[in-house]
Amino acid sequence: DQQVKQNSPSLSVQEGRISILNCDYTNSMFDYFLWYKKYPAEGPTFLISISSIKDKNEDGRFTVFLNKSAKHLSLHIVPSQPGDSAVYFCAARLTGANSKLTFGKGITLSVRP
Amino acid sequence: GAVVSQHPSWVICKSGTSVKIECRSLDFQATTMFWYRQFPKQSLMLMATSNEGSKATYEQGVEKDKFLINHASLTLSTLTVTSAHPEDSSFYICSASRKSNSPLHFGNGTRLTVT
């Protein structure tokens, strides 16, 4: 049973435009959400996170939005750059789970020059 | 810079042999490390939680006798794939966090190919 879902396997965006990556979850006990970026043959790199007590967190070009009632979060990248092309994983953590994360399947973002 | 180092980055072994993968936290002590596995186009699946000085905690469906985990020091955890078979071929990634409830940092992963 997939508790963290990234339903779109891929997204293609023109350089300079906004990339919106979506993630849904089913477990209401998740209290912390993270986005990781992954290049082929490398481990994931932490990008940005958000606590369940917030609905928005911004870091430079990256903003994560959380809608708890809808159990939905999204990562916005603006402006998108070719170097952003990678696989993006959404991850969630249960309350008190000592950093143990549940990951979505990832979405492949391609930013066209 | 990298905070979690994983070695080797890739390994090819023959069926029936064992392979050891090391995971080190570079500038912090990690009482807990996590081992993940990723199949192509799939999510990262947690295999086990490595606890320094005690037994690892395995996720459901992961054979503890097949995937031996040792966390003998605060900066090193090892995963040994015993009697490897072709279906064990995968991308194995370890992770650790600087402190409880902070984001996990991942190693660069190990691509295991069993022939």
Side-chain angles (χ1 to χ4, degrees):
Chain A
D1 178 33
Q2 195 79 18
Q3 295 190 63
V4 178
K5 302 178 183 179
Q6 294 178 261
N7 293 320
S8 301
S10 62
L11 174 68
S12 182
V13 171
Q14 188 74 40
E15 181 179 6
R17 307 294 287 269
I18 186 171
S19 294
I20 300 177
L21 290 74
N22 293 306
C23 178
D24 297 289
Y25 61 95
T26 58
N27 194 333
S28 58
M29 297 301 292
F30 287 138
D31 70 344
Y32 189 63
F33 303 89
L34 308 90
W35 283 93
Y36 283 83
K37 176 180 178 180
K38 184 180 182 300
Y39 293 114
E42 293 185 9
T45 302
F46 170 71
L47 204 54
I48 192 169
S49 64
I50 187 167
S51 166
S52 60
I53 63 174
K54 295 186 176 182
D55 55 17
K56 177 182 175 180
N57 187 27
E58 187 173 355
D59 183 3
R61 296 186 297 116
F62 303 91
T63 302
V64 56
F65 294 92
L66 174 63
N67 183 333
K68 283 188 65 179
S69 60
K71 293 191 179 67
H72 176 83
L73 65 154
S74 61
L75 174 67
H76 292 210
I77 306 173
V78 56
S80 302
Q81 299 173 354
D84 295 329
S85 299
V87 178
Y88 289 79
F89 288 95
C90 171
R93 190 188 69 200
L94 289 169
T95 304
N98 190 28
S99 299
K100 177 177 169 179
L101 297 178
T102 301
F103 284 84
K105 286 189 175 182
I107 177 170
T108 301
L109 173 65
S110 299
V111 180
R112 307 185 304 273
Chain B
V3 297
V4 175
S5 173
Q6 192 171 336
H7 178 81
S9 56
W10 60 271
V11 58
I12 301 173
C13 70
K14 291 187 176 181
S15 187
T17 61
S18 295
V19 173
K20 180 185 284 189
I21 302 170
E22 294 185 348
C23 180
R24 296 179 184 273
S25 55
L26 296 183
D27 61 355
F28 65 99
Q29 294 180 330
T31 56
T32 304
M33 290 185 177
F34 302 91
W35 287 95
Y36 286 83
R37 178 176 183 178
Q38 185 188 24
F39 291 105
K41 300 188 186 303
Q42 296 295 317
S43 176
L44 286 80
M45 299 299 297
L46 180 65
M47 298 175 65
T49 302
S50 174
N51 304 297
E52 188 269 335
S54 64
K55 291 183 179 180
T57 305
Y58 290 82
E59 295 300 304
Q60 190 174 10
V62 178
E63 300 175 58
K64 61 180 182 180
D65 295 329
K66 172 77 171 175
F67 299 99
L68 298 179
I69 291 174
N70 184 280
H71 195 151
S73 79
L74 286 170
T75 59
L76 174 64
S77 174
T78 61
L79 168 68
T80 301
V81 183
T82 63
S83 186
H85 289 104
E87 57 265 31
D88 298 324
S89 298
S90 189
F91 192 58
Y92 294 86
I93 316 173
C94 71
S95 64
S97 60
R98 288 182 178 276
K99 54 184 179 180
S100 180
N101 296 329
S102 64
L104 281 178
H105 294 281
F106 286 82
N108 268 341
T110 298
R111 169 69 60 191
L112 171 63
T113 302
V114 184
T115 60

